[in-house]
Amino acid sequence: MNPLFALDDAQCLALAETHGTPCFTYSAAVAAEQFKALRTALPSRVRLAYAVKANPHPSLLRRFAGLGASFDCASIGELARVEALGLPPGRTFFAGPGKREAELAKALAMGVRVQAEGWEDLARLDALATGEVAVNLRVHPAFDLDEGNRIIGGTGPSAFGVDEEDVAALLARASALRHVRIRGLHVFAASNQRDAAKLLAIHGAVLDLAQRLHGAHGLPLEQIDLGGGLGIPYAPEEAPLDLARFGQGLSDLLAAHPWFVGELILEPGRFLAGPCGVYLARVVRIKESRGVRFAILEGGINHLIRPLLTDQAFPVKAVGKGGSDVAYTLAGPLCTSLDRLGDVHLPELAPGDLLAFGSTGAYGFSEGMTHFLSHPVPPEVWVD
Ligand SMILES: Cc1ncc(COP(=O)(O)O)c(C=O)c1O
């Protein structure tokens, strides 16, 4: 089985027949395997908190919860989805640069660990709380080891967290709070990173930063949250993340920081949810225009906006057809020239042919603009 496509051609054809197209399909087995493979590779002192934003489908959340996952939420809607799982306290986190009071109140009521992104989160929580509340402080570091990554945004100005150079002043101010206690750090400094050495270098730098803050301010750290950012392949030539090396590297980092006796948190979204998804759409028409051959599909950036945002195409295949000798620009049905899913080589296509886009389980449906142009919302189908 091609690891970029969680479902084979026969499954894709059958799903397209049964549920119609365009549609998002997912392999529950692949999602579970992905979770188990990462969990097995990690030291026991690493908590795995699935980033719900990647794919908040209740079936996926239930499956991950059953495998022992914790959850990283970033809105009141995500908190509600996780609340429905009925988890014990301690398994849910709440991040986000613009948390409203109602969201903080919900997080408090659920016993969720808040990643405070600045003074306002701390002060609002303090005003809402009636007893002691432990939070993590999100820090925007002065280092950037995932250079040029637009999602992380470099060392420049950021809407996320407290700038590293402002942490001392914030800790001093926070010491006067009645209920809120900073008991952890959160730093998210990588995105779609498949190189274990790079990820470990970033995480090592975060632990060094934590050690400096711990040393300088006597900050008792129960948790250090390393964020998400574990990468997956989107093309055959891209190697997957070496999980054994990554897990061993985290063990080594823990051993190198004996002062830290708490828990590391990882919040992968893409890594856990991406590989299980296959988006199915048929060709509506083929058009030649001034030397370019367009395959115009039933769905485009209304369903898969990622290629537009990141210039990174999803892998695609023509279901039931071999070969890759014709160059196509894949366009969607929207009335904008931005509606492109990639320049690809595929076999000769005809209207009605079924295309499958692999690794679309994360930041696919959840990130799409399904209401734009009022096309019907595509179904999401889980294969057990
Ligand atoms: C706070 C936080 N944690 C985790 C993630 C998940 O990142 P990824 O899907 O790259 O693992 C994100 C993504 O934006 C995030 O903002």
Side-chain angles (χ1 to χ4, degrees), residues 109-146:
M110 284 173 62
V112 162
R113 182 83 161 215
V114 172
Q115 321 279 16
E117 306 245 1
W119 173 250
E120 294 78 4
D121 279 354
L122 296 171
R124 286 175 185 154
L125 269 178
D126 203 57
L128 289 166
T130 48
E132 189 165 305
V133 180
V135 302
N136 298 339
L137 183 67
R138 182 164 181 179
V139 177
H140 173 48
F143 59 81
D144 174 16
L145 299 174
D146 201 5

Side-chain angles (χ1 to χ4, degrees), residues 345-378:
H345 283 84
L346 288 171
E348 184 81 38
L349 296 175
D353 280 351
L354 183 65
L355 298 191
F357 293 79
S359 302
T360 44
Y363 307 114
F365 186 92
S366 69
E367 208 176 46
M369 310 183 290
T370 45
H371 295 295
F372 191 40
L373 263 78
S374 302
H375 284 283
V377 175

Side-chain angles (χ1 to χ4, degrees), residues 10 28 34 60 62 89 99 114 145 157 218 336 344 380:
Q34 196 73 357
L60 184 63
R62 271 198 306 276
K99 303 184 196 73
V114 172
L145 299 174
T336 164
V344 296
E380 292 184 280

Side-chain angles (χ1 to χ4, degrees), residues 250-263:
L250 285 178
S251 291
D252 296 345
L253 279 179
L254 283 169
H257 287 271
W259 64 271
F260 176 62
V261 292
E263 212 179 21

Side-chain angles (χ1 to χ4, degrees), residues 51 53 72 95 138 186 188 191-192 227-230 267-270 363:
K53 61 178 74 64
D72 158 54
R138 182 164 181 179
H186 180 287
F188 184 7
S191 183
N192 195 23
L230 282 66
E267 299 170 344
R270 182 192 313 275
Y363 307 114

Side-chain angles (χ1 to χ4, degrees), residues 197-219:
K198 267 202 170 177
L199 273 176
L200 291 166
I202 294 165
H203 297 337
V206 172
L207 280 164
D208 291 344
L209 167 64
Q211 184 170 18
R212 285 198 300 278
L213 292 174
H214 173 73
H217 307 284
L219 198 59

Side-chain angles (χ1 to χ4, degrees), residues 140-215:
H140 173 48
F143 59 81
D144 174 16
L145 299 174
D146 201 5
E147 311 91 6
N149 192 319
R150 276 167 55 201
I151 301 208
I152 293 305
T155 53
S158 173
F160 300 108
V162 182
D163 292 342
E164 184 180 333
E165 56 277 20
D166 296 334
V167 169
L170 187 95
L171 290 178
R173 200 173 173 195
S175 64
L177 293 170
R178 280 182 313 154
H179 302 297
V180 171
R181 303 283 171 259
I182 295 171
R183 292 285 180 264
L185 287 185
H186 180 287
V187 178
F188 184 7
S191 183
N192 195 23
Q193 183 54 259
R194 287 175 293 107
D195 182 339
K198 267 202 170 177
L199 273 176
L200 291 166
I202 294 165
H203 297 337
V206 172
L207 280 164
D208 291 344
L209 167 64
Q211 184 170 18
R212 285 198 300 278
L213 292 174
H214 173 73

